[in-house]
Amino acid sequence: MNVNCLIFLHLIFVKEDELNRQIAVFRELFQTESIHWAGYRYKPDGIDVEILVKKIEEIKSRKYKMPIVIHPDFTREEIIRYYREPVFLSKSYSNTCIAPWTSVYVLPNGDISPCSSFVAGNIKNESFKKIWNNQKFRHFRTELREKKYFPVCHRCCEFYKH
């Protein structure tokens, strides 16, 4: 197997109240439902966070033939808080989502999405450049700049890239 790097991601999950706030915000600001996040509805009560922390520390302490990345790279305290607190904000990261200025998802149907459940346009109907700069996308960025993050951003790996 020709593997250059192994990346472990923390569990992406939202609790019911976070999901409901996200749906309400997207409905109000963008007249769309934030339904994709419903697939991440989960309450991680069955996860033994102390064991998880020990395993992560064990992985980080060893030397491997390839880079092993754990993302987000939380501190011990932050891992515990991430899984236990209803709303977690890291002290190690900026807590501001800049993903819509740096990246997008191109979905299989051609939709261009800076964030789950928000579609700025479709690559089959217009150029990427037009979508990137269209009113819908600019409105999304403006709202995000003002708020810094939406209710579920702290559960998304994109939130911790910067």
Side-chain angles (χ1 to χ4, degrees):
M1 195 189 292
N2 190 11
V3 177
N4 299 332
C5 179
L6 184 59
I7 301 172
F8 292 96
L9 299 176
H10 281 282
L11 179 66
I12 299 173
F13 66 95
V14 294
K15 296 181 181 177
E16 195 70 35
D17 59 326
E18 294 170 314
L19 177 61
N20 291 336
R21 285 194 313 274
Q22 177 76 9
I23 289 170
V25 166
F26 268 49
R27 191 179 293 141
E28 178 188 336
L29 297 176
F30 310 118
Q31 295 72 52
T32 188
E33 297 291 323
S34 193
I35 57 171
H36 293 104
W37 277 102
Y40 294 99
R41 184 184 302 125
Y42 180 72
K43 197 172 179 184
D45 293 338
I47 295 175
D48 187 326
V49 181
E50 293 299 329
I51 290 174
L52 177 63
V53 167
K54 286 179 186 173
K55 291 295 182 184
I56 290 172
E57 288 172 346
E58 182 182 311
I59 290 168
K60 286 180 167 184
S61 70
R62 291 187 181 168
K63 297 288 182 207
Y64 298 92
K65 293 180 181 181
M66 72 180 98
I68 305 291
V69 176
I70 299 171
H71 183 75
D73 189 17
F74 293 140
T75 65
R76 172 184 242 287
E77 174 194 291
E78 288 175 325
I79 294 169
I80 294 167
R81 289 181 48 233
Y82 179 79
Y83 288 95
R84 291 189 179 157
E85 291 181 8
V87 177
F88 164 79
L89 292 174
S90 169
K91 293 178 183 171
S92 303
Y93 293 87
S94 68
N95 293 319
T96 300
C97 182
I98 63 167
W101 288 271
T102 62
S103 60
V104 295
Y105 295 97
V106 180
L107 303 179
N109 67 352
D111 284 348
I112 300 293
S113 175
C115 179
S116 185
S117 299
F118 181 84
V119 176
N122 189 291
I123 199 81
K124 294 178 184 176
N125 302 327
E126 55 188 326
S127 74
F128 178 82
K129 185 177 180 179
K130 282 187 178 181
I131 296 168
W132 184 262
N133 294 303
N134 72 19
Q135 176 59 35
K136 195 172 182 181
F137 211 143
R138 286 194 325 268
H139 174 62
F140 185 86
R141 289 186 192 110
T142 299
E143 292 294 339
L144 186 55
R145 183 183 302 116
E146 289 175 8
K147 291 170 181 31
K148 298 190 181 199
Y149 54 87
F150 297 124
V152 297
C153 287
H154 66 282
R155 298 290 182 203
C156 176
C157 290
E158 294 289 333
F159 191 63
Y160 299 104
K161 282 190 172 179
H162 312 281

